[in-house]
Amino acid sequence: LTRVPPASGRGRTVVSRAFEAPAADFTALDAGIAQAKNDVISGKTKTNYYNHQAKFLMWVYKNKPDSLSSQFRTWLDERIALQKTNKSSAEVRLRKEIKGEWLHERNAAKPPLDFSKFDNNDLERWIMSLQKKNGEPAGESTFENARSGFKDLIRAYGGSMSPEAAASLAIFFKGLRNQAAQRRADGDQPIRTGKAPMPFSLFRRLAQAILQSEEPVFSHLFLLLSWNLMCRAGNVTIICVDHIEWVEDALVIHFAHSKTDKEGKQAKD
């Protein structure tokens, strides 16, 4: 309440306008907070993490079921009892259901792991068990993605990793990288990893072929932008009219964010 000085000798009491504002909608605010925390990683990265998390949870179910929360273990027991198909297709279906009904929801009150019982050494055991379809050890990128996926899992559900466990994991990964480097040196793995650069001769052939197609405008422009901007195709797909301007005789395209700068702090052209 606010006391207003009188103009005619008598005071009057009025209600401050601050109290006239509507009450805060905590449900909407909490939903916004949860969405902001969920947007720490991009959509493609989430999909990658969820795939590894689902595989990890299935591995824990088979090898250390007591490390799972009672809710998740009961749910998984019921789903497995309903499966009537062969083992391999049943596991693929289960992983899809885990992602759809548990991981996408990211409800901190409903964690799939019981962090009080989980042995962090089991993460190293699971990563060590990862293999390619031909039985060879998985590549470095698979190991890195698996570790990142686990860290996202414990962050989403309020778990934690002790300093000792984090130090052990760091030493383990250093050893994995050394082993991978030795396999490359021995010729057991290719030295080059990732995508190979496109030669200029191939770029010219593609550009000529597109110009001779029935609808060349979009495809040809997309190819030219990707080549001249020296950027990922994903960056070209998000270019908007507002990102383009002429500076003297140059066409300038601004990138609001990129794969390595998701917050857009280093926006550049």
Side-chain angles (χ1 to χ4, degrees):
L1 298 177
T2 302
R3 185 78 175 178
V4 179
S8 58
R10 291 188 301 173
R12 57 192 179 92
T13 302
V14 299
V15 178
S16 172
R17 291 189 177 183
F19 290 94
E20 297 177 359
D25 185 348
F26 287 106
T27 301
L29 292 174
D30 290 342
I33 292 170
Q35 183 62 47
K37 291 180 177 180
N38 194 37
D39 288 340
V40 170
I41 53 178
S42 65
K44 290 183 179 179
T45 304
K46 286 178 187 177
T47 300
N48 189 12
Y49 284 177
Y50 292 162
N51 289 336
H52 284 290
Q53 290 167 7
K55 291 178 181 178
F56 171 68
L57 291 172
M58 286 299 300
W59 184 90
V60 175
Y61 178 79
K62 295 175 183 178
N63 297 279
K64 292 291 188 71
D66 291 339
S67 297
L68 299 174
S69 68
S70 58
Q71 287 177 295
F72 181 72
R73 186 175 176 181
T74 300
W75 176 86
L76 201 51
D77 285 337
E78 293 173 352
R79 289 298 186 278
I80 291 176
L82 294 173
Q83 298 291 347
K84 298 180 181 180
T85 55
N86 64 68
K87 185 177 179 181
S88 59
S89 62
E91 182 163 336
V92 172
R93 184 184 303 172
L94 280 171
R95 290 204 300 264
K96 289 183 178 179
E97 292 186 15
I98 290 172
K99 288 183 285 185
E101 298 191 31
W102 287 80
L103 300 179
H104 287 175
E105 185 178 354
R106 301 174 78 83
N107 184 352
K110 202 173 75 171
L113 278 178
D114 185 341
F115 294 105
S116 65
K117 297 179 181 178
F118 178 71
D119 182 358
N120 285 308
N121 291 325
D122 287 335
L123 173 62
E124 297 176 9
R125 298 184 179 111
W126 170 63
I127 291 174
M128 200 70 217
S129 71
L130 297 176
Q131 295 180 334
K132 297 179 181 179
K133 292 183 179 180
N134 60 7
E136 296 180 356
E140 289 179 77
S141 61
T142 299
F143 292 145
E144 296 288 353
N145 288 332
R147 178 174 63 169
S148 298
F150 177 77
K151 288 183 176 180
D152 176 70
L153 182 70
I154 61 177
R155 180 175 62 245
Y157 292 98
S160 63
M161 181 178 289
S162 67
E164 294 78 13
S168 174
L169 189 62
I171 294 172
F172 172 59
F173 264 79
K174 184 175 182 180
L176 288 178
R177 296 188 192 100
N178 290 343
Q179 291 177 352
Q182 187 61 51
R183 286 194 294 271
R184 289 193 294 270
D186 295 338
D188 296 329
Q189 284 186 351
I191 292 180
R192 176 177 292 177
T193 59
K195 300 179 178 67
M198 180 188 296
F200 182 67
S201 58
L202 177 57
F203 166 72
R204 291 186 61 186
R205 293 289 299 273
L206 284 173
Q208 291 171 354
I210 290 174
L211 283 175
Q212 296 171 2
S213 63
E214 294 182 359
E215 298 181 0
V217 177
F218 173 80
S219 301
H220 191 256
L221 176 60
F222 193 94
L223 178 65
L224 291 179
L225 286 174
S226 299
W227 178 270
N228 287 285
L229 293 172
M230 293 185 290
C231 66
R232 295 178 174 86
N235 291 110
V236 179
T237 63
I238 59 174
I239 294 175
C240 300
V241 174
D242 290 342
H243 301 163
I244 304 173
E245 66 173 337
W246 284 100
V247 177
E248 300 296 340
D249 62 344
L251 178 66
V252 177
I253 297 178
H254 299 274
F255 289 108
H257 66 88
S258 65
K259 183 178 179 180
T260 56
D261 178 33
K262 298 188 184 304
E263 296 182 17
K265 291 183 177 180
Q266 301 173 1
K268 55 187 178 181
D269 48 58

